């Protein structure tokens, strides 16, 4: 069984679709004009006619509008500030060296946080041990004197 090399060639992902469209166009060209128009009328819905945009934009017209008098009451304000949508940064290709650096920085933060928590826990246990073994006079606050 022979496999066409173009079947797996993804340099143009639209190639199979374009081939199919070309086949349909050749079949339509070979049909008689009356039959072709009838088939197209059945298949395609009528397209709305769009007016082409004028090459030159129309001039802006200023219009005055009558506004009711303000009675001095409270001015209605928006509840929420206007949302400003900023475009997200598109991340490009990051070299593997940078990835290692970023991973190292993150790992350093994780290790520091863990060491800090362990130090805190160790100091707490140390304080508890010191409270248990205390001189009989002048005990620390919260410790039981013997």
């Amino acid at each position: 069984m022979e496999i066409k090399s173009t079947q797996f060639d993804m340099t143009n992902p639209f190639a199979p679709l374009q081939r199919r469209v070309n086949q349909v166009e050749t079949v339509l060209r070979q049909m008689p004009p009356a039959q072709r128009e009838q088939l197209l009328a059945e298949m395609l819905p009528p397209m709305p006619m769009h007016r082409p945009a004028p090459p030159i934009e129309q001039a802006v017209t200023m219009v005055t509008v009558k506004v009711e008098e303000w009675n001095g009451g409270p001015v209605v304000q928006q509840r929420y500030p206007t949302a400003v949508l900023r475009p997200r940064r598109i991340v490009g290709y990051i070299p593997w060296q940078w990835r290692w650096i970023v991973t190292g920085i993150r790992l350093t933060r994780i290790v520091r946080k863990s060491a800090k928590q362990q130090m805190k826990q160790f100091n707490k246990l140390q304080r508890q041990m010191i409270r248990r073994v205390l001189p009989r006079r002048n005990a620390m606050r919260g410790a039981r004197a013997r």
Side-chain angles (χ1 to χ4, degrees), residues 2-145:
E2 190 176 320
I3 299 174
K4 295 178 184 174
S5 63
T6 56
Q7 195 172 4
F8 300 107
D9 182 20
M10 290 310 288
T11 52
N12 183 4
F14 302 106
L17 184 64
Q18 288 171 346
R19 262 190 258 115
R20 185 77 179 135
V21 168
N22 289 340
Q23 288 174 353
V24 169
E25 285 177 349
T26 54
V27 170
L28 282 174
R29 270 192 240 110
Q30 292 171 358
M31 292 175 93
Q35 191 179 2
R36 182 185 329 145
E37 289 177 16
Q38 181 186 2
L39 183 66
L40 287 174
E42 289 174 9
M43 298 297 288
L44 299 174
M47 296 293 286
M49 294 299 290
H50 292 289
R51 285 185 295 153
I56 300 171
E57 294 183 13
Q58 299 296 324
V60 177
T61 329
M62 298 295 285
V63 180
T64 57
V65 180
K66 185 179 180 293
V67 181
E68 296 179 17
E69 285 293 321
W70 179 48
N71 60 359
V75 179
V76 180
Q77 293 182 348
Q78 292 179 338
R79 288 187 178 175
Y80 306 104
T82 307
V84 178
L85 299 175
R86 292 181 177 88
R88 288 178 59 98
R89 187 173 78 91
I90 298 170
V91 179
Y93 171 74
I94 300 173
W96 63 270
Q97 295 95 335
W98 285 10
R99 290 183 190 198
W100 276 107
I101 291 169
V102 170
T103 306
I105 291 169
R106 289 179 182 162
L107 184 62
T108 306
R109 285 183 189 155
I110 292 167
V111 169
R112 277 187 185 153
K113 185 178 178 183
S114 176
K116 189 176 176 183
Q117 287 175 345
Q118 286 178 5
M119 238 359 238
K120 197 174 177 181
Q121 193 175 9
F122 177 74
N123 289 339
K124 186 178 177 183
L125 285 171
Q126 216 173 12
R127 280 194 307 272
Q128 288 174 354
M129 293 301 292
I130 291 171
R131 281 187 185 146
R132 288 191 186 129
V133 185
L134 282 174
R136 290 172 192 209
R137 295 176 307 165
N138 300 332
M140 280 176 62
R141 278 186 294 148
R144 291 181 309 204

